[in-house]
Amino acid sequence: MGSEGKITQKKLRFLCLHGFRTSGEVLKKQLVTKWPESVLERLDLVFVDAPLPCRGKSEVEGIFDPPYYEWFQFNKEFTEYENFDECLAYVEDCMLKHGPFDGLLGFSQGAILSAALPGLQAKGVALKRVPKLNVLIIIGGAKFRNQSVAEKAYSSPIQCPTLHFLGETDFLKQYGVELLESFAEPLVIHHPKGHTIPRLDEDGLKNMLSFLERMENEVAGMEKQ
């Protein structure tokens, strides 16, 4: 394949937030092995580890090497969080250190966090020292269930353009569908798998490339203003 006629826009730059008790390296391996080059070549992905060493068994133990990390701790009902404010400050520090970024890409716990941050940023609760988030990619996401956090994160329709991946057998699917209601214009790619980084079928690939092209043009337009 020749390079003529390929991407002329600047790549979209994402800070990537991994799942619970995994790592930045795990998420990187998952994405690189699942997504085609035609998608990856359009993205500038920065992978970081969550701030907290994992406190229990990891679901990826025996599949991916340790160490493993978590963004914050939570109770069984997902209504109480420990180290949450420290987590928000850490994400902002990562954005300052490695940015600027166009947006966030998150999986699982990282997706829940990523999906809430535009609303928290708009309310002045988080990411006060970095530019406004312009795009999200949410894989296996859900809402925070703590009332105080939820009111700040989702009380107004989130205007940030977002691509959501929903797995048919994902244990979080119903919560991922609920999350869509908080976004003004969510684009959804459905896949037949569970709680995982999905491969892209023909339709999924077409929709993702179309979304990325639209966002490249929007971000380029913002930079010219």
Side-chain angles (χ1 to χ4, degrees), residues 10 20 22 27 50-51 55 58 62 68-69 80 84 111 119 123 137 140 142 174 188-189 201 210 218:
K10 190 179 81 170
F20 185 58
T22 66
L27 179 57
R55 292 185 180 179
S58 169
Y68 312 120
Y69 303 89
E80 296 178 12
F84 185 65
K123 290 285 193 298
I137 297 177
Q174 70 182 89
V188 183
I189 292 179
D201 62 17
S210 174
E218 285 191 18

Side-chain angles (χ1 to χ4, degrees), residues 48-223:
V48 294
D49 295 325
L52 306 166
C54 82
R55 292 185 180 179
K57 184 174 174 60
S58 169
E59 293 289 324
V60 301
E61 201 171 308
I63 305 169
F64 295 102
D65 292 335
Y68 312 120
Y69 303 89
E70 45 200 68
W71 294 100
F72 53 88
Q73 289 85 27
F74 49 89
N75 64 348
K76 188 177 178 182
E77 293 77 27
F78 203 64
T79 55
E80 296 178 12
Y81 316 118
E82 186 180 343
N83 294 307
F84 185 65
D85 290 340
E86 292 82 356
C87 169
L88 296 181
Y90 176 81
V91 172
E92 184 172 53
D93 287 343
C94 287
M95 295 186 78
L96 287 167
K97 181 179 179 181
H98 303 292
F101 291 97
D102 297 305
L104 302 171
L105 180 154
F107 171 62
S108 193
Q109 190 185 33
I112 295 170
L113 184 57
S114 297
L117 279 167
L120 294 176
Q121 187 181 39
K123 290 285 193 298
V125 176
L127 308 187
K128 299 183 218 178
R129 297 179 293 156
V130 296
K132 178 183 171 186
L133 294 167
N134 292 319
V135 56
L136 298 178
I137 297 177
I138 302 298
I139 308 164
K143 281 185 174 183
F144 281 105
R145 310 208 81 74
N146 173 277
Q147 186 174 351
S148 175
V149 175
E151 283 176 358
K152 295 182 183 79
Y154 318 117
S155 58
S156 301
I158 298 168
Q159 302 299 324
C160 182
T162 313
L163 177 62
H164 298 254
F165 287 87
L166 291 180
E168 290 304 309
T169 60
D170 188 345
F171 71 96
L172 283 181
K173 183 187 175 185
Q174 70 182 89
Y175 305 109
V177 171
E178 182 184 290
L179 176 64
L180 297 177
E181 298 167 4
S182 296
F183 286 85
E185 293 184 61
L187 173 66
V188 183
I189 292 179
H190 295 273
H191 64 89
K193 300 294 186 181
H195 195 63
T196 186
I197 306 288
R199 297 183 188 278
L200 296 163
D201 62 17
E202 188 175 346
D203 285 343
L205 178 60
K206 180 181 173 184
N207 288 335
M208 185 164 194
L209 290 175
S210 174
F211 175 80
L212 294 178
E213 183 175 358
R214 174 165 65 89
M215 291 315 306
E216 287 165 358
N217 291 332
E218 285 191 18
V219 168
M222 291 175 196
E223 291 178 347

